[in-house]
């Protein structure tokens, strides 16, 4: 059995762990009826161990749980075992166990009619692994007498010496005895801060960790040699439950099971089914009568409740309970939600400005004026007839709500908002790093994943079979090339599938519009555009939600076949693939409406056709911006309501109900067994396992894209995001506290790759909004008309300027309307939206000079807007320091104080050494001054005087 020299543990005789031989107890014939009688005479042992939070002795705390499935012997009921693992004899017993398939019979094999070698192999691996855990210093206790039949639990406790050893290995910063004053603001700033504290007091959570601190303990990486620096008056609470579980998990990851040349840590054992679960325990119950106060109950009351939606989050308590990584996620989500408040206010103002000025908008008034007898060309061939522009009055007025000069200002504002948000988060992150003692923390390389170790083993075995000398093997790009090729082809296929689905929806819109145009009812013909747009967006929404789930699974599979070495590499590759696929899935329909719809239509008499029968879609007379707004709002709200909230509430409830029904079927009819209160680890086992933060971050990043990328077309997006996030924070909090097993606390000083994705989206948003304003909206054509073509400096005549004329005699054969007299008069000239020469011109229907003037203005606007906003964003980034000044001063102060502490300690040692030397000198002088007539009885003291050691 290989033991890492770096993590050598104490000798067996120093551990003081008593051993009980399980098989010896079974051989004695210990009867269950006798145990029931003994239990009835004694007090309830479950209450002594606080229902699974402690070992059976009620003193040693359970820091971690391993769960496994076992099959009971068919010869009789297996003895209910609650036994302690021991050290030396337990190891010798385990080493004496024969491996399956070697022709050696098990001790109980004679009484068993059937031997399941697969189950025996798992049991041998568990025994070896647990023996290694005992060698590493951990204390174990097994429990198979549970209400969940066929499931056993191994409780793990880390004693004080193991905690100290591992804390030193992990370089955990722990608070020392030294306390110092935190720099306080003075003068006007102090008064302003006090006023803000009084105003915000009702929205502060009622937890001790959230109160403003004036003093802070100096932190230093734990060292067993410098234990005198730390406050060890209460050893039970010095390492909190989060830290204890982290330490145990580190031991579980590096402790190996070397059976059959296969080095297996806890991740490999879980992957191979040797253990079915491994998790730390929650602190206790969060609801019910006579529940002892604990952090979980406090979090449930002050954080995971919809009744406190208006309060700040107790981030320090979240970090204390769940660890820094989860604490940073909720801190980031809180900062993002707070920053949405000013964006929502400005968006509402922009929307209200559009509502207030809709009656003063000259282009929409001209479109609605029935006196302007503008006859438009048919929207489809044959079945569609000519129509009046005034019939699109409602669409034109609605477009002004989102297509007005204020939206340009709002786009600039949101670009600066995104830059400010990123800077604000960096500063907040540094404050949290200082508060959580992560200023000097550097992530170390993680342990290899189970799948990576298996692949390396497979590769080394192949080379050994070929009789080749092999050093320590590792996977190279050649080994991963088939996986890389599969990834590339798979991602290209999925992106192509998304485009194909969007193309299919386009065909649906065109064909449905043509079918509805045949309708004999006037109401059916008038609502064609609204009906087609609404149904197509709903289809898009359903497809996006379904493909989101499919793409999530495919991204995970593609990442698994790459076999990344560490969990961090796996997570980063998974995030990249999932984000790429989900980004394309969510935004492709929106990109189509924003930049492609109505661009490749052609003109009357020379339309562009799909499959030689369907004409390409045209934008409404008021432009495509209104349709873009409808598409964006429905997809954004639908994803948030259905996917983010309904799925997050409904699916966990459904899974919980299914697990409850399964347990109800398995439950014994024994009334005493039914009434027995479950242990803490049994209750936690029935909770959902923690699946990581990637889904939580992903939905917020996609939402951030909706808020920033197309904000020029939908100023109310920040408001809907704010309302969603207020619910989302409490929903996620409730899920973490009540419905998930407690995750292992992971130290982290930032949000990782997500920050780079956010910055990328912020930069992309500037470019996309520039193109939306210049090409999708009518903002640039209006400016060009106002300053180049308007006769009186107003917008009168703008609508007529944007319409070209077409002579109906130039229709291609078979494309003219079947009912040309539908409007009650004969039409000779119809209008269509484009910049082309009139039919009476020499170059009829060619692109006019106005088109090129508008195009030049649009491209110029894109360049100016993009560079100006990018410069302003970078200026905001530069002018706001990443580290707040007070935090940098406090960090410097901590370093100075730490140096002072060590200097004082060194001076104390030197003074003590000098004192001992002076004492030794005096004793030597006293010994030399004795008379020569010393008796023999004094000679011992004389010699002892001269032999006093001078070393310290």
């Amino acid at each position: 059995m290989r033991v890492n020299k770096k993590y050598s543990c104490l000798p067996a005789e120093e551990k003081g762990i008593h051993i009980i031989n399980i098989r010896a107890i079974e051989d004695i014939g210990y009867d269950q009826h006798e145990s029931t009688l003994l239990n009835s005479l004694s007090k309830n042992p479950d209450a002594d161990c606080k229902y699974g939070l402690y070992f059976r002795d009620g003193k040693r705390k359970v820091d971690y749980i391993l769960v496994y499935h076992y099959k009971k012997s068919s010869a009789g009921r297996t003895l209910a075992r609650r036994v302690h693992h021991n050290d030396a004899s337990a190891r010798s017993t385990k080493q004496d166990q024969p491996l399956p398939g070697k022709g050696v019979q098990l001790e109980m094999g004679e009484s068993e009619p059937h031997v399941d070698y697969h189950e025996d192999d798992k049991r041998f691996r568990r025994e070896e692994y647990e023996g290694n855990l005992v060698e590493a210093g951990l204390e174990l206790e097994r429990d198979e007498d549970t209400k969940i039949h066929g499931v056993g639990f191994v409780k793990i406790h880390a004693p004080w010496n193991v905690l100290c050893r591992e804390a030193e290995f992990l370089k955990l910063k722990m608070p020392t005895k030294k306390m110092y004053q935190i720099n306080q603001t003075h003068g006007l700033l102090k008064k302003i801060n006090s006023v803000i504290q009084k105003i915000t007091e009702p929205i502060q959570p009622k937890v001790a960790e959230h109160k403003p601190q004036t003093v802070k303990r100096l932190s230093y990486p734990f060292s067993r040699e410098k234990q005198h620096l730390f406050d060890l008056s209460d050893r039970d609470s010095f390492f909190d439950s989060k830290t204890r579980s982290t330490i145990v998990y580190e031991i579980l990851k590096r402790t190996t099971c070397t059976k059959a040349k296969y080095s297996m840590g806890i991740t490999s054992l879980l992957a191979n089914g040797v253990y079915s679960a491994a998790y730390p325990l929650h602190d206790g119950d969060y609801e019910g009568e006579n529940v002892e106060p604990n952090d979980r109950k406090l979090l449930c009351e002050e954080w995971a409740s919809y009744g406190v939606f208006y309060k700040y989050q107790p981030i320090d308590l979240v970090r204390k309970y769940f660890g820094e990584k989860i604490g940073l996620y909720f801190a980031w989500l809180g900062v993002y939600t707070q920053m949405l408040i000013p964006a929502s206010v400005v968006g509402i103002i922009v929307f209200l400005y559009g509502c207030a000025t809709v009656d003063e908008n000259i282009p929409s008034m001209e479109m609605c004026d029935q006196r302007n007898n503008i006859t438009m060309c048919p929207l489809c061939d044959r079945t569609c007839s000519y129509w009046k522009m005034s019939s699109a009055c409602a669409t034109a007025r609605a477009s002004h709500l989102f297509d007005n000069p204020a939206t340009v200002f709002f786009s600039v504002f949101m670009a600066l908002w995104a830059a400010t948000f990123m800077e604000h988060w960096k500063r907040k992150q540094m404050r949290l790093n200082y508060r959580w003692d992560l200023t000097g923390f550097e992530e170390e390389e993680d342990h290899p994943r189970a799948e990576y170790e298996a692949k390396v083993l497979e590769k080394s075995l192949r080379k050994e079979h070929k009789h080749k000398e092999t050093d320590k093997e590792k996977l190279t790009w050649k080994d991963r090339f088939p996986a890389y090729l599969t990834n590339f082809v798979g991602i290209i296929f999925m992106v192509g599938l998304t485009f194909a689905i969007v193309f299919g929806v386009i065909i649906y819109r065109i064909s449905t519009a043509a079918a509805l145009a045949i309708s004999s009812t006037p109401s059916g013909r008038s609502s064609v555009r609204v009906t087609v747009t609404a149904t197509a967006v709903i289809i898009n929404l359903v497809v996006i939600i379904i493909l989101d789930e499919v793409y999530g699974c495919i991204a995970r599979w593609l990442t698994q076949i790459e076999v990344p070495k560490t969990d961090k590499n796996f997570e980063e590759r998974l995030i990249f693939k999932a984000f790429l696929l989900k980004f394309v899935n969510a935004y492709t329909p929106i990109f189509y409406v924003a930049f492609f719809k109505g661009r490749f239509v052609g003109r009357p008499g020379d339309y562009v056709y799909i499959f030689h029968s369907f004409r390409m879609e045209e934008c409404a007379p008021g432009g495509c911006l209104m349709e873009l707004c409808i598409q964006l709002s429905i997809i954004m709200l639908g994803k948030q309501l259905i996917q983010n909230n309904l799925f997050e509430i409904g699916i966990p409830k459904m899974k919980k109900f299914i697990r409850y029904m399964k347990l109800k079927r398995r439950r014994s009819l024994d009334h005493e067994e039914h009434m027995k209160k479950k242990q803490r680890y049994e209750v936690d086992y029935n909770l959902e396992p923690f699946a990581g933060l990637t889904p939580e971050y992903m939905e917020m990043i996609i939402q951030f894209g909706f808020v920033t990328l197309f904000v020029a077309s939908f100023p109310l997006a920040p408001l809907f995001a704010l309302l969603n996030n207020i619910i989302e924070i409490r929903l996620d909090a409730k899920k973490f506290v009540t419905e998930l097993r407690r995750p292992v606390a992971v130290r982290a000083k930032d949000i990782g790759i997500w920050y780079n994705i956010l910055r990328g989206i912020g930069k992309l948003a500037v470019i996309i909004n520039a193109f939306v304003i210049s090409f999708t909206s009518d903002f640039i054509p209006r400016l060009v008309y106002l300053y180049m073509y308007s006769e009186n400096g107003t917008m009168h005549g703008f609508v007529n300027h944007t319409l070209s004329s077409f002579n109906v005699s130039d229709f291609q054969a078979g494309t003219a309307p079947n009912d040309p007299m539908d409007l009650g008069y004969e039409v000779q000239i119809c209008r269509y939206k484009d910049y082309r020469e009139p039919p009476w011109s020499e170059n009829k229907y060619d692109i006019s000079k106005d088109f090129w003037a508008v195009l030049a203005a649009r491209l110029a606007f894109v360049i100016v807007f993009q560079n100006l906003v990018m410069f302003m964003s970078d200026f905001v980034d530069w002018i706001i320091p990443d580290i707040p000044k007070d935090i940098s001063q406090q960090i410097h102060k901590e370093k100075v104080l730490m140096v002072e502490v060590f200097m004082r300690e060194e001076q104390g040692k030197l003074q003590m050494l000098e004192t001992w030397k002076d004492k030794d000198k005096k004793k030597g002088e006293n010994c030399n001054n004795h008379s020569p007539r010393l008796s023999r009885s004094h000679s011992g003291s004389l010699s002892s005087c001269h032999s006093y050691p001078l070393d310290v």
Side-chain angles (χ1 to χ4, degrees):
M1 194 154 38
R2 294 178 295 183
V3 180
N4 195 332
K5 293 180 181 178
K6 181 181 176 183
Y7 303 106
S8 58
C9 54
L10 295 175
E13 49 269 38
E14 291 181 20
K15 292 176 184 172
I17 304 167
H18 298 287
I19 296 131
I20 299 175
N21 194 322
I22 303 169
R23 297 191 178 281
I25 296 176
E26 291 177 345
D27 292 339
I28 292 170
Y30 185 71
D31 190 66
Q32 191 178 2
H33 298 293
E34 295 173 13
S35 68
T36 307
L37 179 62
L38 290 171
N39 286 335
S40 63
L41 295 175
S42 62
K43 60 180 181 178
N44 184 8
D46 291 338
D48 292 341
C49 66
K50 294 188 178 179
Y51 294 98
L53 286 173
Y54 287 81
F55 275 22
R56 302 300 295 175
D57 57 13
K59 296 177 181 178
R60 290 174 293 171
K61 190 174 183 181
V62 176
D63 297 319
Y64 218 87
I65 291 291
L66 299 179
V67 187
Y68 60 93
H69 289 274
Y70 66 93
K71 290 182 180 179
K72 292 190 176 182
S73 170
S74 58
R77 287 189 67 180
T78 304
L79 173 66
R81 292 178 286 183
R82 295 178 185 269
V83 298
H84 293 266
H85 270 274
N86 296 302
D87 192 14
S89 64
R91 290 201 304 274
S92 63
T93 304
K94 291 173 179 59
Q95 289 169 357
D96 291 340
Q97 296 287 350
L99 298 180
K102 299 293 182 183
V104 184
Q105 295 233 342
L106 298 174
E107 286 181 77
M108 295 190 67
E110 296 174 1
S111 62
E112 293 180 2
H114 173 70
V115 178
D116 189 340
Y117 290 109
H118 185 61
E119 288 299 317
D120 285 344
D121 181 61
K122 287 184 179 180
R123 179 165 57 83
F124 284 137
R125 292 188 184 188
R126 284 198 297 268
E127 287 176 351
E128 183 189 353
Y129 183 71
E130 289 162 18
N132 293 346
L133 291 179
V134 172
E135 282 186 356
L138 297 177
E139 297 174 6
L140 312 182
E141 185 177 78
R142 190 187 300 275
D143 185 4
E144 291 182 357
D145 181 21
T146 65
K147 295 186 77 172
I148 308 173
H149 293 294
V151 177
F153 297 88
V154 177
K155 295 175 276 186
I156 303 176
H157 168 77
W160 173 256
N161 61 326
V162 174
L163 292 172
C164 292
R165 182 189 74 208
E166 298 298 323
E168 185 173 347
F169 291 157
L170 295 173
K171 300 176 183 176
L172 296 179
K173 273 192 172 183
M174 304 302 293
T176 62
K177 296 175 185 176
K178 175 71 176 176
M179 302 182 73
Y180 67 95
Q181 197 80 15
I182 296 175
N183 293 339
Q184 300 294 319
T185 53
H186 300 286
L188 182 62
L189 282 175
K190 186 176 182 180
K191 291 179 181 178
I192 293 172
N193 286 340
S194 63
V195 170
I196 292 173
Q197 283 180 8
K198 287 179 182 178
I199 293 171
T200 59
E201 190 174 356
I203 60 175
Q204 300 290 346
K206 297 177 181 177
V207 296
E209 285 80 0
H210 200 77
K211 293 177 181 177
Q213 296 178 343
T214 56
V215 294
K216 186 178 183 291
R217 286 188 178 274
L218 198 62
S219 294
Y220 185 73
F222 188 83
S223 171
R224 287 173 288 181
E225 294 179 356
K226 300 186 183 300
Q227 287 193 30
H228 57 278
L229 294 176
F230 304 95
D231 184 11
L232 303 179
S233 55
D234 185 5
R235 290 189 172 189
D236 293 335
S237 62
F238 182 72
F239 294 107
D240 57 14
S241 58
K242 164 186 70 72
T243 309
R244 297 175 71 99
S245 62
T246 303
I247 287 172
V248 173
Y249 183 63
E250 286 296 322
I251 298 174
L252 292 176
K253 280 200 297 185
R254 71 161 186 265
T255 303
T256 56
C257 171
T258 56
K259 180 178 174 295
K261 294 182 68 177
Y262 190 4
S263 177
M264 302 175 72
I266 186 61
T267 50
S268 302
L269 293 171
L270 287 169
N272 288 286
V274 178
Y275 291 102
S276 56
Y279 52 89
L281 292 179
H282 279 291
D283 277 0
D285 291 324
Y286 60 89
E287 60 183 358
E289 297 179 1
N290 303 322
V291 175
E292 292 186 8
N294 58 71
D295 288 342
R296 189 187 187 194
K297 185 174 184 294
L298 189 59
L299 282 171
C300 190
E301 293 170 353
E302 293 294 328
W303 182 51
S305 171
Y306 295 110
V308 293
F309 72 92
Y310 59 92
K311 288 188 176 183
Y312 285 101
Q313 299 182 85
I315 291 298
D316 291 323
L317 185 60
V318 174
R319 172 255 178 179
K320 178 186 173 186
Y321 193 78
F322 290 110
E324 286 79 7
K325 192 170 185 178
I326 293 174
L328 280 171
Y329 163 70
F330 281 102
W332 173 83
L333 184 55
V335 169
Y336 172 48
T337 305
Q338 287 174 13
M339 289 293 291
L340 282 172
I341 295 173
S344 303
V345 171
V346 176
I348 292 170
I349 292 171
V350 169
F351 179 73
L352 292 177
Y353 171 81
C355 295
T357 58
V358 68
D359 293 328
E360 302 171 6
N361 183 39
I362 295 173
S364 61
M365 289 168 62
E366 287 184 348
M367 288 181 67
C368 294
D369 191 355
Q370 295 186 3
R371 292 173 297 180
N372 295 332
N373 191 18
I374 300 176
T375 304
M376 303 297 293
C377 294
L379 295 173
C380 62
D381 294 342
R382 294 188 301 276
T383 54
C384 299
S385 186
Y386 305 106
W387 55 285
K388 292 282 191 182
M389 174 167 269
S390 57
S391 64
C393 174
T395 308
R397 288 173 64 86
S399 295
H400 179 72
L401 301 178
F402 305 100
D403 187 5
N404 56 68
T407 56
V408 180
F409 158 76
F410 191 54
S411 298
V412 177
F413 170 82
M414 287 303 294
L416 297 179
W417 172 87
T420 309
F421 162 60
M422 300 304 293
E423 290 304 308
H424 179 45
W425 167 243
K426 278 198 286 190
R427 291 169 65 84
K428 177 72 174 178
Q429 196 170 253
M430 281 305 303
R431 289 188 181 278
L432 293 176
N433 284 344
Y434 165 71
R435 263 180 19 214
W436 296 348
D437 299 320
L438 294 170
T439 47
F441 171 69
E442 293 295 335
E443 290 187 16
E444 297 180 359
E445 187 177 355
D446 203 356
H447 297 274
R449 296 173 62 248
E451 293 83 356
Y452 180 83
E453 288 185 336
K455 280 284 183 184
V456 169
L457 177 70
E458 185 182 336
K459 183 180 178 182
S460 61
L461 289 175
R462 279 201 309 267
K463 288 200 173 183
E464 281 181 17
H465 183 67
K466 294 178 182 178
H467 306 288
K468 288 185 178 180
E469 296 280 332
T470 58
D471 297 330
K472 189 175 181 181
E473 291 292 339
K474 62 180 181 179
L475 297 184
T476 62
W477 69 270
K478 292 181 181 178
D479 300 318
R480 291 193 173 105
F481 180 75
Y484 290 151
L485 185 63
T486 307
N487 270 260
F488 178 75
V489 173
I491 290 173
I492 294 296
F493 175 76
M494 293 303 145
V495 172
L497 176 64
T498 304
F499 289 162
I501 290 171
V502 171
F503 183 73
V505 174
I506 293 169
I507 299 296
Y508 162 80
R509 291 159 67 115
I510 295 170
S511 57
T512 306
L516 290 175
I518 305 173
S519 173
S520 57
T521 59
S523 60
R525 288 197 297 269
S526 63
S527 60
V528 167
R529 196 177 292 276
V530 175
T531 306
V532 170
T533 301
T535 54
V537 171
I538 291 170
I539 291 171
N540 272 327
L541 174 63
V542 172
V543 169
I544 285 170
I545 290 173
I546 293 171
L547 286 184
D548 253 7
E549 302 301 319
V550 174
Y551 285 169
C553 298
I554 290 173
R556 181 168 289 276
W557 176 75
L558 289 174
T559 310
Q560 285 173 346
I561 63 173
E562 279 187 51
V563 197
K565 184 175 182 180
T566 63
D567 287 329
K568 185 180 179 182
N569 292 341
F570 180 88
E571 188 179 20
E572 287 181 350
R573 295 185 186 192
L574 172 62
I575 288 168
F576 174 74
K577 293 181 186 66
F579 173 73
L580 178 64
L581 292 174
K582 293 190 177 188
F583 182 89
V584 171
N585 181 41
Y587 296 114
T588 300
I590 300 170
F591 269 93
Y592 164 72
V593 174
F595 302 121
F596 296 100
K597 187 177 178 182
R599 309 289 171 198
F600 312 102
V601 178
R603 61 170 180 82
D606 188 22
Y607 283 114
V608 177
Y609 291 90
I610 301 176
F611 304 133
H612 304 288
S613 55
F614 297 111
R615 265 170 51 182
M616 287 293 290
E617 290 184 287
E618 296 181 48
C619 288
C624 276
L625 199 69
M626 185 63 201
E627 189 173 340
L628 176 61
C629 174
I630 293 170
Q631 183 109 357
L632 192 65
S633 58
I634 291 179
I635 290 177
M636 179 182 176
L637 295 176
K639 271 181 66 68
Q640 289 183 350
L641 291 175
I642 298 172
Q643 191 175 24
N644 298 356
N645 294 335
L646 192 62
F647 281 13
E648 285 192 16
I649 296 171
I651 291 178
K653 295 283 184 190
M654 192 185 302
K655 287 181 178 178
K656 196 173 181 181
F657 178 74
I658 292 169
R659 284 197 305 271
Y660 171 76
M661 294 303 293
K662 284 182 179 178
L663 288 172
K664 196 174 180 182
R665 287 177 189 171
R666 293 178 188 172
R667 190 170 289 164
S668 173
L669 298 174
D670 186 2
H671 181 69
E672 181 185 347
E673 181 77 10
H674 178 73
M675 294 303 292
K676 188 173 70 172
K677 184 176 178 180
K678 279 188 177 182
Q679 304 287 325
R680 176 80 264 151
Y681 43 85
E682 295 177 78
V683 177
D684 287 3
Y685 177 68
N686 292 327
L687 299 176
E688 275 288 302
F690 175 63
L693 289 169
T694 300
E696 315 299 335
Y697 272 115
M698 189 65 72
E699 65 184 67
M700 288 296 106
I701 297 295
I702 296 295
Q703 185 205 78
F704 182 76
F706 281 119
V707 169
T708 54
L709 291 179
F710 296 94
V711 75
S713 62
F714 190 40
L716 295 179
L719 175 64
F720 289 120
L722 173 65
L723 297 176
N724 174 79
N725 287 6
I726 290 172
I727 301 170
E728 180 74 21
I729 289 174
R730 307 303 163 180
L731 186 65
D732 283 348
K734 195 171 186 65
K735 182 171 70 175
F736 272 83
V737 173
T738 65
E739 295 176 2
L740 294 180
R741 292 176 193 160
R742 188 174 183 178
V744 179
V746 178
R747 288 189 296 169
K749 61 189 301 183
D750 52 38
I751 60 174
I753 194 175
W754 297 110
Y755 182 81
N756 298 328
I757 292 175
L758 284 168
R759 282 191 69 87
I761 291 176
K763 299 293 184 186
L764 184 63
V766 177
I767 301 169
I768 289 178
N769 281 306
F771 277 96
V772 167
I773 293 168
S774 61
F775 284 91
T776 309
S777 75
D778 282 337
F779 178 73
I780 300 301
R782 287 173 188 169
L783 283 182
V784 171
Y785 176 79
L786 186 65
Y787 292 107
M788 290 181 65
Y789 300 105
S790 178
E791 296 176 357
N792 52 8
T794 64
M795 292 301 296
H796 288 289
F798 170 73
V799 174
N800 187 58
H801 179 262
T802 59
L803 298 176
S804 298
S805 300
F806 177 75
N807 193 332
V808 297
S809 62
D810 294 330
F811 271 122
Q812 288 181 356
T815 60
N818 295 333
D819 187 10
M821 299 293 293
D822 187 53
L823 293 178
Y825 57 88
E826 185 180 358
V827 178
Q828 293 182 344
I829 299 292
C830 66
R831 310 295 296 275
Y832 61 99
K833 191 169 183 179
D834 204 349
Y835 290 101
R836 290 183 180 269
E837 297 290 345
W840 51 83
S841 172
E842 292 182 5
N843 303 315
K844 64 177 184 179
Y845 307 133
D846 284 351
I847 293 173
S848 65
K849 293 179 181 178
D850 298 343
F851 172 83
W852 299 111
V854 171
L855 180 62
R858 282 173 164 165
L859 293 174
F861 176 83
V862 168
I863 294 169
V864 172
F865 181 89
Q866 176 184 331
N867 286 284
L868 179 63
V869 175
M870 288 281 193
F871 170 76
M872 294 169 70
S873 300
D874 291 340
F875 180 74
V876 169
D877 192 356
W878 173 75
I879 202 170
I880 300 175
D882 293 347
I883 305 176
K885 188 177 180 181
D886 59 325
I887 296 299
S888 60
Q889 289 174 350
Q890 298 289 2
I891 293 171
H892 178 69
K893 186 177 181 180
E894 275 197 353
K895 290 179 180 176
V896 172
L897 287 173
M898 206 70 241
V899 170
E900 287 180 4
V901 167
F902 283 118
M903 290 298 293
R904 217 170 281 158
E905 186 181 352
E906 290 296 322
Q907 287 173 1
K909 286 181 180 177
L910 288 172
Q911 287 176 0
M912 192 180 295
L913 192 62
E914 291 294 331
T915 306
W916 284 351
K917 284 183 177 179
D918 291 343
K919 283 183 180 179
D920 184 68
K921 270 185 185 178
K922 287 178 182 178
K923 283 189 178 181
E925 289 172 2
N926 290 337
C927 290
N928 291 332
N929 291 334
H930 274 300
S931 74
R933 292 175 299 170
L934 282 171
S935 64
R936 289 176 63 89
S937 62
H938 292 95
S939 61
S941 62
L942 181 64
S943 62
S944 65
C945 287
H946 286 292
S947 63
Y948 189 87
L950 294 177
D951 282 352
V952 177

